[in-house]
Amino acid sequence: MGTNLFRWLFEDPITAGSNGNLPSAETFHFLWPWLIFCLVGLLITFYYSVEGRKRFVRSKPLLKYMYDRYLGWFAVICFIGLPLIGARVLLDGYFFSWRVWRYLWLLSLAIWAVTWIVYLVRKYPAERANYEAYQRRRQYIPKGSKRKARTASR
């Protein structure tokens, strides 16, 4: 079983097609779903970086930090996915058309999703409570007078 899995992961589509008695290379059935996923992911990240930061999270620094951090990694994963899909479609008999690359890419996507969920469940509520406590403390601290600061500096 181990050698069959190894052969299945590291076999190019042309060899897989000839071993499976197919007339040509093995077909790639998930081209459009993966392509749409990667392009929509890049579009969401681009929109957030151009407009979303100003519109949605301007006064919410915790959300801004979280979206900056995790959407940046999501964009990297989606950007890496596009050449992997292109290599599978256009470079049938070469190194990057192996299945192992697509499954490593899916593994990285799953790790990213689990990391984000763990952050949302474990760390974000504590950070939000800490920030709200900081905001409450800050409202009772007197603000410095600009007039006194100007006269002291002269």
Side-chain angles (χ1 to χ4, degrees), residues 62 65-66 69-70 114-125 127:
L62 284 178
Y65 166 74
M66 180 181 63
R69 183 175 172 191
Y70 290 106
V114 167
T115 304
W116 198 3
I117 290 169
V118 165
Y119 175 79
L120 285 174
V121 170
R122 288 189 180 173
K123 292 183 180 181
Y124 181 72
E127 287 181 4

Side-chain angles (χ1 to χ4, degrees), residues 62 127-137:
L62 284 178
E127 287 181 4
R128 186 179 62 199
N130 188 20
Y131 182 73
E132 288 171 356
Y134 170 74
Q135 291 289 54
R136 272 187 259 120
R137 279 192 314 262

Side-chain angles (χ1 to χ4, degrees), residues 12-63:
D12 63 288
I14 294 174
T15 308
S18 65
N19 289 343
N21 296 327
L22 297 174
S24 62
E26 181 184 44
T27 57
F28 183 50
H29 300 287
F30 301 109
L31 171 67
W32 290 108
W34 283 29
L35 192 62
I36 290 170
F37 177 79
C38 288
L39 291 175
V40 167
L42 287 174
L43 185 67
I44 288 170
T45 306
F46 177 73
Y47 176 76
Y48 170 75
S49 66
V50 171
E51 182 69 25
R53 287 185 90 218
K54 297 174 201 166
R55 181 177 288 190
F56 300 120
V57 293
R58 179 186 314 168
S59 61
K60 300 171 185 165
L62 284 178
L63 286 177

